[in-house]
Amino acid sequence: MFVLELTYTAPLERVDAALQEHVAWLKKEFAAGRFIAAGRKVPRDGGVILATGTDRAAVEQLVAEDPFSVAGVCTYRITEFAATTTAPALETYRETLQS
């Protein structure tokens, strides 16, 4: 599992110019099952995405394809973690630690 933290590096006008394409990209990744939650940070200086997967390189490639990344309006901080405890609704994403 990955926490993808976006931080805007451009004025909101430039972020908003890429927003429609970014939202379409998010919807595509939700439909593919790679994302399970996403939203703006408060205050609006970026966003957060909760992503599934075990391959960091694939996640790095995925965020490089985000229209926000392509437009150069944000940077990503990628944090990988083992989701060993989840709410019942997220049980299918629960992971076990490897020895």
Side-chain angles (χ1 to χ4, degrees):
M1 183 92 45
F2 296 86
V3 176
L4 311 177
E5 182 181 2
L6 296 78
T7 300
Y8 298 148
T9 58
L12 286 179
E13 298 80 33
R14 286 193 49 215
V15 172
D16 287 340
L19 186 58
Q20 186 174 359
E21 290 177 332
H22 172 74
V23 170
W25 173 79
L26 286 170
K27 288 179 180 179
K28 180 184 80 162
E29 299 309 324
F30 273 104
R34 287 186 276 273
F35 293 169
I36 58 174
R40 291 179 176 172
K41 290 195 276 185
V42 178
R44 187 181 175 204
D45 61 1
V48 176
I49 301 168
L50 188 57
T52 63
T54 57
D55 183 351
R56 185 179 183 94
V59 171
E60 289 172 350
Q61 178 61 40
L62 184 64
V63 301
E65 296 167 0
D66 176 359
F68 278 178
S69 293
V70 174
V73 299
C74 81
T75 58
Y76 270 92
R77 178 176 165 211
I78 302 171
T79 304
E80 184 174 0
F81 74 102
T84 57
T85 306
T86 65
L90 297 175
E91 188 172 330
T92 59
Y93 301 104
R94 193 173 299 154
E95 301 175 67
T96 55
L97 295 176
Q98 298 177 2
S99 318

